[in-house]
Amino acid sequence: MAEKCVLAYSGGLDTSVAIRWIADTYNVDVIAVAIDVGEERDYEGIRAKGEKVGAIESIVVDAKQEFFDEYITRAIAANLTYERKYVAFTALARPLLAQEQVRIARERGASLLAHGCTGKGNDQVRFEVTYAALAPQMRVIAPAREWNMTREEEIDYANEHNIPVPVGRKSPYSTDTNMWGRSIECGSIEDPSLEAPEDAWEWTVSPMEAPDEPRYVTIGFESGLPVSLDGEAMGGVELVGALNSIGGEHGVGRVNMMENRLVGIKSRELYECPAATIILEAHRDLESLVLDRETAHFKQHLELKWSEMIYYGLWFTPLRVALDAFMSETQKPVSGEVTVKLYKGRAEAVARKSDQSLYDFSLATYGDADVFDQSSSRGFIEIFGLPAKVVSMVRGLPE
Ligand code: ARG
């Protein structure tokens, strides 16, 4: 019996060619696995195509709920953001895809794992680091990194092997989508000195075309988890879907950035992520109301580290798990409601309330209700500023 290889399958040309190429080159049976993490596609069509082009079995896994429950909730707790702008949705989903592949490989007795990533990106790293952690004995095939075919050769190969090649004008862009966002690369986007063309965007209207009236959305959180929209209880998957469309109508969540890939390349990236933008704005705002200052400040450092680790594909590592234990502890008081104003591309938290609020009106007010004893500040500052005073007295005044 031939060895089996489980391939992460997208239904696109590259991974369709990969099915055939792996089977022929390595003399193995290929099992295609497509995973639904909230990209709205014809998954039955994708499944059927996998078999048609030569997989011995083609499987679709609906992982939307798991993606929300195990990955997005942690991303929210840690305010996942890479290089200040990218909510890292592709990076977040890769370990889940790889994890599902490994699970199926075990069930089917497969010894090989494969993905369609090129050798220039981050995704190959994320897949393979996850394989290494979860299935250290399994071998890896990365056809797009190995086959050395040009686009034209790949199309010839597809035609020779009865693999359907998309007809009509091919989109100039390369995209990746899940419920937390959509990425757009290639084509004219590769020239960072040019503004991105309007046709790159699909989820969001141009802020210039957005309604003149703002839309207010109120998001309820319980221990860091978003649980309601405008007062109505809602499951996470549904909530994210709703905010993607509402935010998209207001042009919210467009990102245009230069990004440092793990493999050393700088790339120009476009993202649209309305729901993630709104939820993270609301979540950070609620944290600013309920977290004590020291926890809040320290958490920012760990968020930076956590985000970098997720971007680098280090999900299944002890440090990520340990950092998540910290994040999870900090989320205990993060319950309440935040109202976010969506207006011409902006999402801004404008009002918030919580039973866990640490805001004390009688301490903050400059009005009659003030109970803060201003006379204690004198002694506090004297001691707080003492090190600076000592330095000046010993070494002279600063330049
Ligand atoms: N630059 C982003 C990242 O590394 C997006 C990658 C999109 N991946 C893709 N195969 N199109 O996470």
Side-chain angles (χ1 to χ4, degrees):
M1 227 176 63
E3 268 189 289
K4 291 183 190 133
C5 173
V6 176
L7 167 73
Y9 184 56
S10 73
L13 180 65
D14 290 346
T15 51
S16 296
V17 166
I19 290 179
R20 191 55 197 257
W21 187 88
I22 293 169
D24 289 353
T25 310
Y26 286 86
N27 231 326
V28 296
D29 287 339
V30 177
I31 299 169
V33 179
I35 292 146
D36 177 1
V37 276
E39 180 177 12
E40 280 166 18
R41 302 184 66 196
D42 166 20
Y43 282 99
E44 177 42 36
I46 293 171
R47 199 203 57 73
K49 185 174 177 187
E51 270 174 13
K52 190 180 160 287
V53 303
I56 57 153
E57 189 184 2
S58 184
I59 303 169
V60 172
V61 181
D62 179 353
K64 291 194 286 290
Q65 195 61 47
E66 191 180 356
F67 186 43
F68 185 84
D69 292 343
E70 303 296 327
Y71 292 81
I72 291 180
T73 56
R74 290 185 169 91
I76 295 169
N79 296 311
L80 170 60
T81 310
Y82 181 69
E83 297 188 338
R84 294 173 191 268
K85 286 182 149 184
Y86 171 38
V87 297
F89 50 87
T90 294
L92 191 63
R94 295 308 185 208
L96 170 57
L97 266 50
Q99 182 185 27
E100 288 298 310
Q101 260 184 289
V102 169
R103 181 179 62 77
I104 290 167
R106 290 239 159 77
E107 280 173 15
R108 304 292 195 275
S111 53
L112 292 147
L113 298 163
H115 60 74
C117 307
T118 71
K120 295 181 65 169
N122 298 310
D123 289 325
Q124 52 174 345
V125 182
R126 298 164 182 155
F127 273 109
E128 290 177 40
V129 169
T130 305
Y131 300 156
L134 300 183
Q137 285 82 15
M138 291 190 197
R139 282 178 297 136
V140 180
I141 305 176
R145 209 168 54 194
E146 297 170 21
W147 63 34
N148 283 320
M149 283 191 275
T150 63
R151 187 83 197 161
E152 291 68 32
E153 287 164 347
E154 198 185 331
I155 290 172
D156 289 344
Y157 185 96
N159 286 328
E160 278 161 34
H161 294 88
N162 287 323
I163 296 164
V165 176
V167 284
R169 203 175 66 87
K170 192 187 165 288
S171 160
Y173 309 121
S174 157
T175 63
D176 184 59
T177 302
N178 63 49
M179 69 173 98
W180 208 231
R182 172 174 183 268
S183 68
I184 311 104
E185 296 171 315
C186 301
S188 63
I189 294 162
E190 287 179 350
D191 183 346
S193 71
L194 300 177
E195 184 174 2
E198 200 47 43
D199 71 354
W201 308 103
E202 273 183 18
W203 285 15
T204 53
V205 303
S206 161
M208 288 189 298
E209 310 290 324
D212 292 326
E213 283 297 304
R215 164 84 187 249
Y216 292 86
V217 287
T218 297
I219 302 170
F221 289 87
E222 262 168 38
S223 303
L225 273 188
V227 292
S228 68
L229 178 58
D230 295 333
E232 197 187 315
M234 212 178 265
V237 175
E238 196 190 341
L239 180 71
V240 169
L243 287 175
N244 272 332
S245 49
I246 299 169
E249 285 163 26
H250 289 269
V252 165
R254 287 190 177 188
V255 174
N256 180 340
M257 70 185 286
M258 296 306 300
E259 178 175 307
N260 289 296
R261 288 189 192 158
L262 179 55
V263 294
I265 300 169
K266 272 193 199 292
S267 68
R268 200 287 185 85
E269 301 282 340
L270 302 185
Y271 301 113
E272 37 192 356
C273 43
T277 302
I278 298 166
I279 291 171
L280 292 181
E281 167 72 10
H283 179 256
R284 285 193 176 105
D285 186 81
L286 185 57
E287 286 191 325
S288 69
L289 183 67
V290 303
L291 295 187
D292 63 283
R293 184 186 66 208
E294 294 309 306
T295 303
H297 288 187
F298 191 68
K299 184 169 182 281
Q300 286 184 26
H301 296 279
L302 299 195
E303 287 176 358
L304 208 59
K305 180 67 184 173
W306 196 89
S307 298
E308 188 180 75
M309 289 185 71
I310 301 317
Y311 186 85
Y312 291 172
L314 302 175
W315 182 271
F316 288 101
T317 61
L319 179 56
R320 196 278 302 166
V321 174
L323 291 177
D324 269 338
F326 169 85
M327 299 297 173
S328 157
E329 179 65 26
T330 65
Q331 295 306 290
K332 288 181 177 167
V334 186
S335 302
E337 281 190 353
V338 180
T339 299
V340 180
K341 182 179 184 176
L342 311 179
Y343 182 64
K344 293 203 181 284
R346 287 256 299 154
E348 186 190 9
V350 291
R352 71 286 291 163
K353 58 176 184 237
S354 167
D355 293 342
Q356 298 290 327
S357 170
L358 298 179
Y359 174 78
D360 186 331
F361 176 77
S362 60
L363 289 176
T365 183
Y366 287 95
D368 294 341
D370 187 7
V371 299
F372 186 82
D373 177 7
Q374 298 196 27
S375 68
S376 347
S377 288
R378 185 165 178 260
F380 165 72
I381 297 164
E382 192 143 328
I383 292 171
F384 183 69
L386 190 56
K389 195 174 189 171
V390 171
V391 169
S392 287
M393 290 191 317
V394 172
R395 303 201 179 133
L397 303 181
E399 318 259 288

